[in-house]
Amino acid sequence: MVLAEASLNVASAPSYLEALNSKQQQAVLHSEGPLLILAGAGTGKTRVLTTRLAHILERNLCGFQNILAVTFTNKAALEMRERIQRLLGRSVDGMWLGTFHSLSMRILRKNADALGYSSNFTIIDSDDQLRLIKQLLRAENIDEKQVPAKMVAGVINRWKDKAKTPDRAGNPQELTVQLYRQYQERLKILNAMDFGDLILNCLVLFQQNPEILNSYQQQFCYLMVDEYQDTNAAQYLWLRLLADGHGNLCCVGDDDQSIYGWRGAEIANILKFEKDYANATTIRLEQNYRSTNHILGAASGLIANNRDRLGKELWTEKQGGESVLIKGTWDSENEARFVIDEVEDYQRKGHSLSSMAILVRASYQTRDFEERCLKTGTPYRVVGGLRFYERQEIKDALAYLRILVQPDDGLAFERIINVPKRGIGATALQNMHVIAREQNISLPRAALLYAMEDGKGIGKANLRQFFEDMQRWRNMLDTQPHVDVVKAVLDESGYTAMWLEEKSPDAAGRLENLKEFVHAIEEFEFLPGFLDHVSLVTDNNNQSAGDCLSIMTLHGAKGLEFDFVFLPGWEENLFPHPRSIQENGLEEERRLGYVGISRAKLKATISYALRRRLPYQGWQVGLPSRFLSELPAAHVKHVQANGHESRQQNSPESLRRPASFVEYQAQHFEIGDRVFHQKFGYGDVIDTEGEQAVVEFDLAEEKRIHISFLKKQA
Ligand code: ATP
Ligand code: MG
C-alpha cells in the first residue's frame, strides 16, 4: 500500500524526491507507522531522514512543532536544520531538532519544578562531577586511593546510561550505590544536573507525571532518529515513551557503525526494532553514493571480519579512482610530516582544505599534526578535541557567570572563590562545607554564613566583598547589556588582572581567549542561553572561519564525509586500542575502522609508524595494526617506510615483525598479587594466562585484564 502511494506521489513529485532512488523515496513517503532504515555507510540514510522531515512539512501532515528529530551531535543537528530550510525555503527556528541531550534539556527547563528543581538548573561537566564526588568521598572519610573518584564517576555514568536511578542501581548497602544516592542528593541541592541526568531525569519526569508525558506524546506526531545504532538504554526508553503516542517512529542506522559501546550504547536496540514494533516496515538501502569502489571495497572487506553483524552488500557506481594507500613511516613525527605534505600537495592541485580530514584514534595523536600544521602554516581546526570551552581560563570565566545566574552553584563557586587569590584556603573551604552539610544548604549560602561569622581574617572580608560584587553584577544584568556585565565581572573580580600580571608564556594567549569568550557571548541574547549553549557544544567548536583542515577523532567523524581522509596510527597498541578491546571487544574497534575508511569520497590514506612517542611513556615500538592485513589486496597499495612498494602488503608476518631496536618491558604477575587499575581501582589477581590476568576487584566485578593496565602494589 505504501508503495502504491509512493508511485502515485512521484508522478507529481517535487524535485527533492526525484533526486532519490526508489527505495529512498519509499522511505520518505512512508508516513504512518514505525519505520526502520537499516543500511551501510554513505547510502543516504541521513539524506532520507532530512528529506522525509521536509516532505512531511511540505505536505502539511503536521505543524513543525509536532516533529521531534534526534541526531547524534550538535553539528549534525545544525546541518540538518540548514538542509531542511534549504528544501523548504523558510526558517524552521524553534523546531524540536537536536541531540538527545539538548531536547531533554528543553523538556526539563520547562518542567523542572515537577522534579523539585528550579528551571535555571546548571549543567555540570565531567570535571565538576569529579570534584563533587571527591567532596563526597572526603566527607565520608574514604581514601581516594582505595576508591578513585574516576571509578565512582564511571560506575554512576553507566547506571545513568542504563536508566537506573539510585533505588534501582543495586544493593543499597553497597558503597557505590550509597555514593550514587548522595551524589544525586547533592546535585539537587546545587540545582545542578550532569549530562546523564538530562536523559535520566526526563525519564523520571515522564514516569512520575503521566499527564506531562501524555502532552508530549500528543504533541509529537512524528519522531525521527539518526544513528540509532548508538542509542543507550536510557535514550531507548526515552524514545519508546514518546513514540507511544502516535507510533510514527522512524529510526535510521547501521549496525556496522555502532562505536559508542564504551558509553553504554546498545547495538541490540537497532537489531530488535522489528520485535519492539510489531507492524514495523524495514527498508534497506544498498547503493553507496559517497565513495569510490576502492574505498567501499576496503571498508567492506574490513567489516566482513566481524562475526556479530547483520551483513550487507553495498555497491557504488563510482568505479576507478585510487586504491586505498597504506603508508609505513619510521616514527610518528615522520608520519605527521608525510600527512601534511600530502595535504599541501592536494592543496596545490586545487583542492580546498575543508575537503580533507585527519581522523585519529586517540586524541593525543592530534598534537603531532597540529605542530606540523603550525610549522607549515596550514590552517586547521581540532574538532571536538582541545575544546575552547574546556580551557582553564574559559572554565573559570564560565564559573563566574554560572554563579551570577545561579547563586547556589557550589561547584562553580568552589572553582573560582580563590581565583584570583582572596586568602581563602583549604581550611576555610572545609569549614564552609561543614556548614553546608549541617544545614543542608548550598556551598555559596554556607560561605555567606561563614563570612558573616565573627572573625576578622582577610579571607572573610574578601568573601563579603565577593558577595557584594556578585549582587551588584546581578543588579546590573537587569539594566545593562549582558556583554557589559560579563566584562565588568571579569575586570572587577580581578580575574583579568590576574592573567595580566602572570609572567608565564601562555598568559597572553589566555587573555586572547577571554576576549574571544566575550565575543562569543555577544552572539546570544541572554546569558542563560549562552550558558546552555556552552554546556551542549562539548563535541564541537566550529567557530574558526575560512578554509581549514579538520583534525578529529574517529568517534567524532561519524556521519561526516570528506574527499580526502587520512587515517594515521594504525598500529597495534593504538588501533585497535588495547583497552577498548578489553572493555568493548575487538569488533567495536573494527567498526571504528569501517567508519573511518567510509568517510572518504575520493581517497583514503592509512598510515602507521614504526616508533611512536606515547604520552608519559616515551618511545614505543609500533607494530602495524592487524586490521591492515584484513583489507582486501585488490583495493589497497602498501608503501613501506623505506619507500619499498610491497606486493605482499597484507601478509601479517611482514606487517607485524617488531623492529629490533625496542625491547618490551613485560611485567610478571602471580596469583595473589595485589594490583591497581586506573578505572576499577584495587583488586587481587586470581588467575593469569599469558598477557592476561583475572582480577577480583574490591569494588567492581571480576574482570580479565591485559597486564599492561595493571600496576602491581607492594
Ligand atoms: P553514514 O552512514 O556515513 O551516516 P548516510 O547513509 O547517512 O551515511 P548520507 O550522508 O545521507 O549517507 O549520504 C552520503 C552521500 O551521498 C551524501 O553526499 C549524499 O548527499 C549523497 N546521496 C545520498 N543519496 C543520494 C542520491 N539518491 N543521489 C545522489 N547522491 C546521494
Ligand atoms: Mg548519516
Side-chain angles (χ1 to χ4, degrees), residues 65-76:
Q65 285 293 331
N66 303 115
I67 302 181
L68 179 88
V70 192
T71 65
F72 205 74
T73 60
N74 295 306
K75 184 177 159 66

Side-chain angles (χ1 to χ4, degrees), residues 26 68 111 136 191 193 202 208 223 256 259 278 294 302 305 417-418 465 516 538 546 588 614 645 705:
Q26 185 191 343
L68 179 88
N111 300 285
L136 291 175
N191 196 28
M193 298 189 192
C202 239
Q208 291 177 353
L223 299 96
D256 287 334
I259 53 175
H294 282 313
L302 177 65
N305 289 278
I417 190 52
N418 207 29
Q465 181 66 45
E516 179 61 30
T538 49
E588 177 148 321
L614 297 175
E645 202 175 304
I705 304 268

Side-chain angles (χ1 to χ4, degrees), residues 19-21 24 40-47 227 257 289-290 559 561 599:
L20 301 178
N21 68 36
Q24 291 176 327
T43 50
K45 296 182 298 296
T46 303
R47 181 160 165 163
E227 309 276 2
Q257 293 185 67
Y289 289 92
R290 178 180 294 145
E561 58 187 20
R599 297 310 92 200

Side-chain angles (χ1 to χ4, degrees), residues 401-422:
L401 303 188
R402 275 167 48 183
I403 306 174
L404 197 65
V405 172
Q406 224 271 77
D408 284 319
D409 193 332
L411 293 170
F413 178 85
E414 190 167 6
R415 181 177 180 102
I416 49 86
I417 190 52
N418 207 29
V419 184
K421 295 225 168 352
R422 294 190 176 89

